Amino acid sequence: SLQEAAGTTATVSTATAARTPGKPRKRRAPDGGVGGGSGSGGGGGSSVSTAGGIRRIDEFYSANKPLVSLPPPPPPPLSAPTAAASRQHQQLRRRQQQQQWKPKQRRWPVKLGQHRRRKRKTTSGQAKETSATAAADTGNHCFNQERGREVLRALLAEKSRQERRAVRDRCRENRLRLGQFQIVRHGSDLLDKWFDGFAFEEAHRRRQEIEHGKERIEKERRLWMKRKPAAGGTTTKSASSRSTSSAGKHSEVDADEFFTQLEIYDIQRQALVKDEKDLRDEVEKLDRERNVHIREMKRIQNEDSSRFKGNQELHDRYMLLSLLGKGGFSEVHKAYDMTEHRFVACKIHQLSPSWPKEKKDNYIRHAVREIEIHKTLQHPRIVKVYDVFDIDSDCFCTVLEYSKGCDLDFYLKQNKSLPEREARNVICQVVSALKYLNQRRPPVIHYDLKPGNILLGEGDSVADIKLTDFGLSKVMTEDKFQADSGMDLTSQGAGTYWYLPPECFETGPEAPKISSKVDVWSVGVIFYQCLYGQKPFGNNMTQADILRNHTILKALKIDFPQSTPGNCKVSEPAKNFIRRCVTYDKRLRPDVFQLAEDEYLKSKAQLKFDTTTAAYSPAEVGSGGGGSGGSSAWGLMPPPGPV
């Protein structure tokens, strides 16, 4: 077959040459050339011949390179060791290719000095190349970091715009339903007056309908009682006796019908009472929504008039997102820290340019003192201070820890009161923070402890709180504080009067003395307000009225209401704890350390733990164990039982 293939190939090549015009045929020389005409290879074809006969077919293919190449024969099968060696070789070859392996070039021998100079040049070149690479990497890193900041800044700005748009749309929708402020003229002044929306008008209309229904039922019941049958008239009467008499004003009715109608009146009245309760719950819900609505309207108004509206970036680090609140001379903005990548609260203090220099210096000194005290406080129940920097000559900023929830004052306005267990949890956390303030050196008196300065965590619960606003705090240094009498109150008249003890209102030739017992009184007032939804002293009075009427100086005894807004029961130990906190005589009032050890503030698990540890004293454990002698360390826990 191979010979036939060779003859066919030679025939095809000869025919191709014959069809090509202008090119004569080539003849093979007697020593192996290609010839034409008739030969031994067949008529009209070409033959392969030599002096010794026909050549081998493989020699013919190697000399003439046929048009159609045959596939190479398959390699012989490898044995197991040969196959393993082949795989190792392939893996080594692949690894060398990946590492871009290059064979070492041969270096001609040089003199020692030339070799050192060459090495020195190579080292300096490598150092330059390394420094250039490091500089390029640093530049790329800075470029990538700046690019990331730009992307993050754009995302935060877009998110802030979406949130502002959603809040304003929701506020616009609630204006008709809940109400809005309108400017009215009062004499020569223009005042903002609140007008309720249609939801409150509908609730007022339903309340009037319920009142009219109750009056109607009571009136019909009184008229029906006049038709009450006589005693013993339970038997059925004739139709003539039940008819209207010309002499009588009302006709007599059957006893069964009379009492059935009374039952109907009672059922109707109970239905109206139920509707009235449901309406009252609905109005309370509307009140809570209105409080949030009013708060948002004021916040939006302050945000639109703020100097720092928009998404400004302060100190090339803090990007402002939204306004949280505004006080007398400061604004608090929610911001994002572009360096630490966390949300923070930026408190911006703004001084009026029209203020005299003494007032500015006093405010700055007061603010710097607050910051210096606050920066040294590190406690999980106290808001942290991260940074302080100047914005301009009349403005500086304090960066604080951000809290997602509202303050306790707004929470009480929404929910009226707290159950005793939740209120005690709040007080325990406040006392823990106060204990830390008095353990540090020098100790600190908060002096402005109130629900507005207690921030709540995220959500609608009061499980986690933090203290803030140390603007009126007092540092009890050794030169100012005496253990028996306390320290002088230099800022009398400052603070929130509802939560201050009587000694802060004393007048005389000498300044009143205060100590940490000021905060203990505030704790009792806050606990009372959490339980009963009102302040114990001067509840519906202004600070001016409290000061003029000497309300706190007359607070010799505290009274407890019969019920709470949520109809929650208040235990007697809770009332006794409040009485101890608001003891009028400061010498009999406990301090912060004594309050922290109060039995009422200890949880059931802690009381159980204390009882268990007290049952196993070191002496008892050491003397037990069959006279073998025990270690005193087991006094903190029960002795180990058998394994």
Side-chain angles (χ1 to χ4, degrees):
S1 60
L2 294 176
Q3 292 178 358
E4 292 176 356
T8 305
T9 306
T11 304
V12 172
S13 62
T14 306
T16 305
R19 288 193 299 268
T20 306
K23 289 185 178 181
R25 291 184 180 180
K26 293 183 180 181
R27 293 181 178 268
R28 184 178 295 276
D31 57 351
V34 179
S38 62
S40 62
S46 103
S47 60
V48 180
S49 62
T50 58
I54 299 176
R55 288 186 177 182
R56 291 173 56 87
I57 193 65
D58 53 353
E59 295 177 359
F60 174 80
Y61 270 97
S62 62
N64 293 276
K65 296 181 181 179
L67 297 178
V68 181
S69 61
L70 296 177
L78 300 177
S79 60
T82 309
S86 177
R87 285 196 298 269
Q88 292 179 1
H89 178 71
Q90 291 177 1
Q91 292 177 1
L92 178 61
R93 187 67 176 270
R94 192 180 302 111
R95 193 179 303 111
Q96 291 175 353
Q97 291 177 357
Q98 292 176 357
Q99 296 177 357
Q100 296 181 357
W101 176 83
K102 294 181 179 180
K104 295 183 178 180
Q105 297 180 359
R106 184 178 178 183
R107 295 184 179 180
W108 296 97
V110 294
K111 295 182 180 180
L112 182 60
Q114 296 177 357
H115 176 70
R116 288 180 179 177
R117 284 194 296 270
R118 181 182 299 177
K119 185 175 182 181
R120 219 171 14 248
K121 292 180 181 178
T122 305
T123 305
S124 60
Q126 291 177 354
K128 292 180 180 179
E129 182 179 358
T130 304
S131 61
T133 305
D137 294 341
T138 304
N140 294 335
H141 177 70
C142 294
F143 174 78
N144 295 334
Q145 187 177 9
E146 185 63 28
R147 178 61 179 167
R149 287 172 64 95
E150 292 178 359
V151 173
L152 180 60
R153 192 180 295 110
L155 292 176
L156 289 172
E158 180 62 25
K159 180 65 175 178
S160 177
R161 284 192 295 268
Q162 292 179 1
E163 291 179 352
R164 286 200 299 266
R165 192 181 303 113
V167 169
R168 281 162 171 76
D169 293 342
R170 185 170 59 251
C171 186
R172 193 179 301 109
E173 293 174 358
N174 289 332
R175 284 181 178 178
L176 297 178
R177 187 175 69 92
L178 300 176
Q180 58 183 333
F181 286 100
Q182 295 182 3
I183 299 176
V184 296
R185 181 178 295 276
H186 183 73
S188 59
D189 299 330
L190 296 177
L191 303 177
D192 288 338
K193 187 177 180 180
W194 175 261
F195 291 90
D196 289 329
F198 65 84
F200 287 94
E201 295 177 357
E202 179 67 18
H204 181 68
R205 185 186 61 80
R206 289 173 55 189
R207 186 185 295 109
Q208 289 182 346
E209 290 180 356
I210 292 175
E211 293 295 334
H212 293 334
K214 292 170 68 174
E215 293 176 359
R216 177 183 56 81
I217 292 174
E218 189 65 26
K219 183 178 180 180
E220 292 180 358
R221 181 184 175 86
R222 286 197 301 266
L223 293 176
W224 186 255
M225 288 298 295
K226 295 180 180 180
R227 303 174 65 179
K228 182 177 181 180
T234 56
T235 59
T236 306
K237 301 188 179 204
S238 61
S240 60
S241 62
R242 289 197 300 268
S243 61
T244 305
S245 176
S246 58
K249 189 175 183 181
H250 300 285
S251 62
E252 294 183 358
V253 296
D254 187 10
D256 295 338
E257 184 179 355
F258 176 79
F259 289 108
T260 301
Q261 187 63 35
L262 287 182
E263 188 72 16
I264 292 174
Y265 288 147
D266 291 340
I267 293 174
Q268 291 177 350
R269 185 172 58 181
Q270 290 177 1
L272 290 178
V273 170
K274 182 179 180 300
D275 292 343
E276 186 178 14
K277 182 179 180 300
D278 295 341
L279 180 60
R280 185 164 54 249
D281 296 340
E282 183 179 351
V283 171
E284 289 181 358
K285 182 180 178 180
L286 288 175
D287 286 337
R288 291 193 294 268
E289 293 181 2
R290 180 173 59 183
N291 292 337
V292 177
H293 176 59
I294 294 175
R295 186 179 185 181
E296 283 296 321
M297 290 182 64
K298 292 182 178 179
R299 189 193 65 81
I300 291 174
Q301 183 179 2
N302 293 330
E303 186 177 37
D304 293 339
S305 62
S306 174
R307 169 189 167 188
F308 299 93
K309 62 181 178 180
N311 300 114
Q312 302 184 27
E313 189 169 348
L314 304 180
H315 205 52
D316 196 22
R317 176 174 177 177
Y318 305 102
M319 183 175 180
L320 303 183
L321 301 178
S322 61
L323 178 69
L324 297 177
K326 182 177 181 180
F329 308 109
S330 62
E331 297 177 355
V332 181
H333 291 258
K334 179 183 177 181
Y336 188 81
D337 189 350
M338 305 292 290
T339 302
E340 297 293 335
H341 300 288
R342 61 189 175 189
F343 290 101
V344 295
C346 291
K347 186 177 182 180
I348 302 176
H349 305 261
Q350 302 184 62
L351 309 182
S352 177
S354 60
W355 285 2
K357 185 177 182 303
E358 295 181 357
K359 187 175 182 179
K360 287 184 179 180
D361 295 342
N362 186 25
Y363 183 88
I364 294 175
R365 182 171 59 253
H366 179 79
V368 169
R369 177 177 168 275
E370 174 190 359
I371 295 169
E372 289 178 352
I373 296 174
H374 204 164
K375 286 182 67 175
T376 60
L377 304 179
Q378 299 293 330
H379 191 267
R381 304 301 172 208
I382 298 177
V383 174
K384 297 181 178 63
V385 175
Y386 294 138
D387 194 5
V388 180
F389 57 89
D390 293 332
I391 299 177
D392 52 34
S393 59
D394 294 331
C395 189
F396 64 95
C397 179
T398 307
V399 183
L400 305 169
E401 180 183 3
Y402 175 68
S403 182
K404 296 182 180 179
C406 61
D407 54 63
L408 183 59
D409 183 60
F410 184 76
Y411 187 88
L412 290 176
K413 289 180 180 179
Q414 295 292 91
N415 300 275
K416 305 301 180 184
S417 64
L418 295 176
E420 182 179 345
R421 183 179 181 182
E422 296 184 8
R424 184 180 64 178
N425 181 32
V426 172
I427 297 302
C428 287
Q429 297 180 63
V430 172
V431 172
S432 174
L434 295 179
K435 183 179 178 181
Y436 165 77
L437 293 178
N438 285 268
Q439 284 177 341
R440 68 186 301 276
R441 291 293 176 266
V444 175
I445 304 174
H446 191 283
Y447 196 80
D448 197 18
L449 207 57
K450 58 183 179 181
N453 290 336
I454 300 177
L455 303 181
L456 306 181
E458 184 179 6
D460 297 331
S461 63
V462 290
D464 190 12
I465 66 101
K466 290 182 181 292
L467 296 185
T468 185
D469 196 355
F470 287 80
L472 298 179
S473 57
K474 317 294 180 185
V475 180
M476 295 184 289
T477 56
E478 295 181 357
D479 56 338
K480 297 180 180 179
F481 177 76
Q482 298 178 1
D484 54 347
S485 59
M487 63 180 296
D488 293 339
L489 177 60
T490 57
S491 59
Q492 192 172 12
T496 310
Y497 294 165
W498 294 279
Y499 305 94
L500 291 179
E503 57 263 24
C504 296
F505 298 90
E506 294 177 355
T507 57
E510 297 181 356
K513 302 288 185 179
I514 62 171
S515 64
S516 65
K517 297 182 179 182
V518 172
D519 294 335
V520 173
W521 177 283
S522 303
V523 167
V525 175
I526 294 172
F527 192 29
Y528 184 98
Q529 186 175 355
C530 290
L531 293 176
Y532 294 100
Q534 61 182 3
K535 306 176 186 67
F537 311 112
N539 183 38
N540 294 321
M541 301 173 61
T542 63
Q543 292 205 144
D545 295 337
I546 292 175
L547 192 62
R548 181 171 55 253
N549 298 330
H550 306 286
T551 303
I552 306 300
L553 289 174
K554 299 177 182 177
L556 301 176
K557 183 181 179 182
I558 187 171
D559 298 326
F560 296 95
Q562 296 295 329
S563 61
T564 63
N567 295 324
C568 299
K569 183 180 179 180
V570 179
S571 64
E572 196 63 29
K575 297 179 181 179
N576 294 332
F577 176 81
I578 295 175
R579 291 189 183 98
R580 290 192 293 272
C581 291
V582 295
T583 303
Y584 189 86
D585 192 352
K586 64 180 180 181
R587 295 172 298 181
L588 304 178
R589 191 186 312 150
D591 57 14
V592 171
F593 295 109
Q594 295 172 349
L595 193 68
E597 299 299 326
D598 196 284
E599 293 292 333
Y600 177 75
L601 295 182
K602 295 184 179 180
S603 61
K604 294 182 180 179
Q606 186 176 0
L607 291 174
K608 184 177 180 180
F609 177 78
D610 293 344
T611 305
T612 306
T613 54
Y616 297 96
S617 60
E620 293 176 356
V621 177
S623 61
S628 60
S631 174
S632 61
W634 291 109
L636 299 178
M637 60 188 72
V643 180

